[in-house]
Structures are given as structure tokens and as C-alpha cells.
Amino acid sequence: MSFSTKELAELDQRFRTNLINSITGFKSVSLVGTFNNNRETNLAIISQIIHIGANPPLIGLLFRPNVVVRHTLENILASECFTINHIKRDFLKQAHHTSARWSESEFTTCGLAEEYLDDFSAPYVKESSIKLGCTLAETMDVKSNGTHFIIGAIEHLHAPDTFIGSDGFVDLEAAGTVTCSGLDSYHQTKKIARYTYAKPEYEPKEV
Amino acid sequence: MSFSTKELAELDQRFRTNLINSITGFKSVSLVGTFNNNRETNLAIISQIIHIGANPPLIGLLFRPNVVVRHTLENILASECFTINHIKRDFLKQAHHTSARWSESEFTTCGLAEEYLDDFSAPYVKESSIKLGCTLAETMDVKSNGTHFIIGAIEHLHAPDTFIGSDGFVDLEAAGTVTCSGLDSYHQTKKIARYTYAKPEYEPKEV
């Protein structure tokens, strides 16, 4: 099946939303922990996450236009900090449930525990194995659709020793981190291969 | 294991690169097809891909600083178009091999076939099932580390009918699309669940 710009524009909105949200490939998905000016916490599931750089360690998050209430974005802009918490299968349903419109903290309503580490102000998710504490480094506006691109500096990184290899590679599969596709589909993974650094002289070999 | 900003900065560079590249979660990974002013084609594997929006359909790609030769970025800026081609297991090794420093087209050196569709100028990968033809919509510079963020408008979308559901959801798992973690690890997926649109009134149910 093929769709041109014009055909995409004429699609039923729900169909197009599912189609375009799934067509970019499998995505990172995490819970973002924040707090507001009254120190009320918030937890939101987000799949628009991108690696920005390793030195300095930076991560990017995209948020929809700030026209309705967007607690997470507002909280990040106000407090200038947030946490990223990987999602495991055993609390996946609670993680998905954070996307409902709650008036109270999703930590309470969805049954996940707040955790505070290293005197960092933003709440981590206790149930997560891998978690990042980030401060706001930069905000950018995407003119094409009015979304907001947030760059976070990774100030704290927490991951169990057993999942970190001698080369620094984190075995997300062993850690039970899930991936997602589209708006609502979650997947576990099965490793195919790690390959050697690619050179023209020889074919990639399995590490 | 925990790392603070200072500890991250003091890590061995290779260790830090692996650590931070894997810590954001599983990633979208695709082959980006472009051509230069002499109509020579280029193919590059890229995992810094993010969904930007469905209406209009937009996708984002991040590129490292343009200080050494970066054919893909240069080609996109010059021609203002590119393709995104999902990677399947049966040509994964060739896909990884495109990341070597080739002086000729990776289509030739890595053994993947160019395909041209709908009079679109940029080359698609014939072996891919799911592919997007994009035009350059916007470029942004990330001040924090000098990377370049490119927004592409999806002008053409190609995916086999059998993988597109009645609600528009694309079954990437059935299509054999792989995901990656870190710089060099590739994974297939196994679906856990699709959940209903989350509401406070009830727990998410499986679709």
C-alpha cells in the first residue's frame, strides 16, 4: 500500500495517527518523573525520546504543542529537572495507565512508588531498574508543527552492575526494558547479534 | 552502579560512549538513502530517529557535528530529500556494514539494491518492506553539543497491505523490522500487549 502527502492528509484522523506513529520504527519508551511548584509529583509515559550525545551525556524529548494542560512539559520548564525511568514488563500496565488524564499524581493513582536519590529533586520510579536524573539544558521549538524539543543533561545514571558490560554497553534485554510501537503496543526483545565496528576491509563479525 | 556528571566525564571515552548510547532505551534504526550533486547515491544506518507528528506527517533525524565528512547530512541539505528504509534481519549485516567509511556508494559496496518509486529523486532500498520518501522541512542546531536536528516531511509512505491494520496500526513485528540498542546491538521483538486508550475510570485492557 502506498500513500502520498495528499492521500495521507485525507485519511481518517485516527487511522493516520496510528499509521504515522508506528511507521518510524520501534521506539524508546520510559516514564518521566517531574514535580510542580506545589511539590506535587507527576509521572508520564513518553516514547518520543532520542539519544543526543555521549560527551556531554544528553537526551532529547519531544512534547506536543502546549495548548492544553501538559503537566510534564510545564513541570520541566518550571523546575528544570526530570527523571527518565525504564519500563519493565511487570509494571507495564501501570506505566500505560499514566497516560490517562489524572488530576492527582500518577505515582499514587497508578500504584508506582516515588524514590529520591542523591538529593536530586525530581522523583524516580522505585520499580525501574535503569533510571536517569536530568537537568534542563536547552529547549527548541519545532516550527513545522509547534512541538517542543527538550534537551536534558544526564546528571545521574543508575543501573544495576550486572547489566553493564566491561565495555560500558548496557544489556537492556537482560534488564527487562521494553520497547513500543505506535501509540499502544509494547514488546520485549530477543537479541539477533552485536556486530564489530564496521570497516570496508571485512564483513561485520558477531561480537 | 551509579554515575554522577563528574564520574561520567571521567570515564574512559569508549566506555562512556557505549553506556550513554545504550541508556536511552531501544531505538528505531533505519537506512537513510540520499544522493549528492553528482547523482552518486549514499546509504547510511541511523538510529537517532524520532516521531515528530502525524498531521502533518513529520519525522526527525539527529546528525553529529558536521566537522568531518558526513555524506548523508550534506546530501540532505543539498538535495532536500531522503528516504527512510526499515531494516529486516535478512539484510542486517549489510545494513550495519554501511557504517564503514566507504568512498563509493554503500548500495554497491554493501550489496543492497537501489529502487526508485513515484518519480521521487532519492533512492529507496529495494530489500526493505517499509519505506518513507521525505523532503527536508526544517533544520535546527542543538547548541548543547553542536549536533544537527533535521525534520523531514513524509511525502510518500510504502508498506505492504498485510501489515497495516484496519485502524492504521502497522505491525512492525510481522513486517520483520528490527530494533537496536547502543551502537551495535540488534534485536527482534515479541509483542507483550496492545492496550486500550487509557482512562482514569478503568485499568487498561488488552486490545
Side-chain angles (χ1 to χ4, degrees), chain B residues 15-169:
Chain B
F15 188 97
R16 181 179 51 235
T17 300
N18 279 317
L19 180 71
I20 303 299
N21 271 276
S22 40
I23 209 70
T24 46
F26 289 101
K27 299 185 276 196
S28 304
V29 60
S30 277
L31 287 165
V32 177
T34 58
F35 62 91
N36 68 15
N37 290 335
N38 301 321
R39 277 295 320 177
E40 293 162 335
T41 59
N42 186 282
L43 193 62
I45 190 166
I46 286 183
S47 66
Q48 284 164 289
I49 300 173
I50 187 171
H51 167 80
I52 300 290
N55 188 22
L58 300 168
I59 188 167
L61 303 178
L62 191 88
F63 292 93
R64 291 166 67 185
N66 204 7
V67 287
V68 294
V69 179
R70 301 274 174 210
H71 294 134
T72 301
L73 177 59
E74 288 170 11
N75 290 355
I76 292 174
L77 295 176
S79 72
E80 302 195 341
C81 65
F82 59 97
T83 67
I84 302 264
N85 307 268
H86 285 212
I87 299 168
K88 295 197 293 190
R89 184 173 186 157
D90 54 9
F91 59 93
L92 175 57
K93 197 185 279 191
Q94 291 105 298
H96 183 74
H97 211 187
T98 63
S99 61
R101 287 177 186 265
W102 298 102
S103 48
E104 288 172 86
S105 171
E106 292 79 7
F107 279 101
T108 310
T109 59
C110 299
L112 293 162
E114 293 179 19
E115 182 179 45
Y116 293 91
L117 300 170
D118 312 303
D119 297 322
F120 194 68
S121 309
Y124 292 95
V125 175
K126 192 172 174 59
E127 288 81 358
S128 291
S129 296
I130 298 176
K131 25 203 163 194
L132 306 174
C134 303
T135 53
L136 180 62
E138 192 172 342
T139 64
M140 303 163 80
D141 296 330
V142 179
K143 292 186 195 77
S144 304
N145 70 345
T147 51
H148 304 286
F149 193 49
I150 297 291
I151 310 287
I154 301 173
E155 303 277 347
H156 300 282
L157 185 156
H158 305 276
D161 297 15
T162 42
F163 303 134
I164 305 179
S166 57
D167 63 352
F169 176 74

